[in-house]
Amino acid sequence: MSAAAPHVIVSPGPVHAALTSWYHHAARDLPWRRRDCTPWGVLVSEAMLQQTPVSRVVPRWQEWMRRWPEPKDAALAPVAEILTVWDRLGYPRRALRLREAAQTIVDRHGGRVPETADELRKLPGVGEYTAAAVACFAFEEPEVVVDTNIRRVLARLFAGQALPGKTYTADQRRLARDVFPDPEADGGQLACTWNIAAMELGALVCTARSPACSECPAAQLCTWRLAGSPPPTEEQRTRAQSWAGSDRQVRGAIMAALRIGGVVERSDLLDGLPLPTVDLVQRRRCLESLLSDGLAEQQGERVALPGAHSRC
DNA sequence: AAAGCGGGGCA
DNA sequence: TGCCCAGCTTT
């Protein structure tokens, strides 16, 4: 037993009622939430939404689903095309893994997205969160879903903290389980709605920077609010990864050049990138890492997106 | 448990 | 400029 474990004082029941009721009229109309969205569409959305805001995902999701409406379509798509459609969503390794997941679904699941969190978890790029989310949102399985929004909402509602801290700890996982609705109460309906409602509240009302507590359906039940909304501690404040000058920036610039230029001379890639600094060691390191990741391909003295045909 | 991995938008 | 955003993989 951990001495630092937060104890749930507020009864979860009224909070479940407040948030799920709120969700029914406040929810955004997102394409992957519609009745006619397939499990594959839900999986694609979750892969794209890993670390990328909804507003930037919507158009890329629509283009992806138009081209590859089923797993078998994405499984056959050239990597170059996958990465081009992915465009600047970021973390392009996610796109490769989504394609690999499609291939696994075809090879091992008859082309249909598996329905349980345990099976989903085995797919490339599918971790604890995504497995639970797809099982819940696509198949109405009452899995405990915990994303960055839900972590923050639970920290405030039940632990009285302004922010949940940078890493997902065992205490937070325990809290999420402790306040989760009874999965067997009504066939899992409440549990699934609770997941999406808590997530939506975190996205629209209980935001990280300036929460709109006056609009919160659970403000009167919120432990953090009742404690006077104490500010986050120094430890809870996340320190951002630097961006300028980072390998991620250089990798991103190389990928952008490959998407636009098709097949590019290796030398042009190393000294012709639109970046503020020219660090040849770093550029070489980043190019090698992209080749190693399978995000780029060497063709003689040229470099291209994997599968892109050379002009020779 | 911590580090690495994109990119855009807003305070 | 700093910070935030429907995480996963590797160590």
Side-chain angles (χ1 to χ4, degrees):
Chain A
M1 152 148 9
S2 168
H7 296 278
V8 176
I9 306 299
V10 174
S11 172
V15 180
H16 296 158
L19 262 59
T20 56
S21 173
W22 168 84
Y23 178 77
H24 288 306
H25 65 83
R28 289 168 293 181
D29 179 25
L30 302 176
W32 45 86
R33 286 180 182 170
R34 302 186 90 108
R35 282 302 210 173
D36 59 355
C37 183
T38 62
W40 168 241
V42 174
L43 176 58
V44 172
S45 78
E46 294 299 343
M48 290 183 170
L49 287 163
Q50 292 166 8
Q51 301 291 281
T52 304
V54 166
S55 61
R56 288 173 52 202
V57 164
V58 170
R60 295 297 94 202
W61 181 88
Q62 288 171 332
E63 175 64 10
W64 182 292
M65 295 305 293
R66 188 185 69 75
R67 289 190 186 225
W68 307 301
E70 295 180 38
K72 65 176 172 55
D73 304 311
L76 295 172
V79 170
E81 196 174 331
I82 291 274
L83 292 173
T84 301
V85 170
W86 195 263
D87 197 34
R88 298 194 168 196
L89 280 184
Y91 298 115
R93 294 191 293 198
R94 291 183 293 163
L96 290 190
R97 291 180 182 134
L98 181 55
R99 177 173 174 275
E100 292 162 9
Q103 293 171 336
T104 302
I105 290 168
V106 170
D107 293 342
R108 307 234 296 259
H109 301 279
R112 289 183 301 279
V113 176
E115 302 187 13
T116 66
D118 283 345
E119 287 301 313
L120 286 160
R121 182 66 181 78
K122 297 175 186 172
L123 298 174
V126 175
E128 181 178 351
Y129 162 78
T130 303
V134 174
C136 178
F137 303 150
F139 299 111
E140 298 185 335
E141 293 289 326
E143 296 286 337
V144 180
V145 175
V146 183
D147 76 323
T148 184
N149 281 314
I150 293 181
R151 287 207 302 132
R152 184 177 57 254
V153 168
L154 298 185
R156 285 176 180 161
L157 284 176
F158 298 109
Q161 300 168 343
L163 292 173
K166 185 176 172 60
T167 59
Y168 184 34
T169 62
D171 280 348
Q172 291 173 12
R173 184 178 282 100
R174 192 176 311 122
L175 174 61
R177 261 206 323 273
D178 287 346
V179 303
F180 197 66
D182 181 357
E184 301 177 9
D186 57 349
Q189 290 293 313
L190 176 61
C192 285
T193 306
W194 163 251
N195 283 330
I196 193 66
M199 197 177 299
E200 192 75 338
L201 188 78
L204 298 181
V205 176
C206 195
T207 58
R209 194 65 68 86
S210 52
C213 297
S214 64
E215 300 172 27
C216 178
Q220 309 307 315
L221 304 168
C222 179
T223 306
W224 180 57
R225 192 79 176 142
L226 294 173
S229 305
T233 66
E234 191 60 33
E235 196 170 9
Q236 289 168 344
R237 301 184 61 83
T238 66
R239 56 189 193 286
Q241 284 179 319
S242 61
W243 165 247
S246 67
D247 280 11
R248 283 184 302 149
Q249 184 186 33
V250 175
R251 284 167 55 103
I254 294 173
M255 291 300 293
L258 293 178
R259 283 194 304 266
I260 298 168
V263 184
V264 181
E265 292 293 334
R266 182 186 169 94
S267 56
D268 291 341
L269 217 44
L270 289 177
D271 56 35
L273 292 179
L275 287 168
T277 61
V278 181
D279 181 338
L280 210 52
V281 173
Q282 182 186 32
R283 292 177 179 213
R284 251 196 289 271
R285 178 175 69 239
C286 288
L287 177 54
E288 291 309 315
S289 72
L290 290 172
L291 293 168
S292 170
D293 287 345
L295 288 165
E297 183 179 82
Q298 186 103 33
Q299 300 179 357
E301 288 306 306
R302 298 177 176 179
V303 179
L305 296 179
H309 58 285
S310 173
R311 280 188 290 263
C312 294

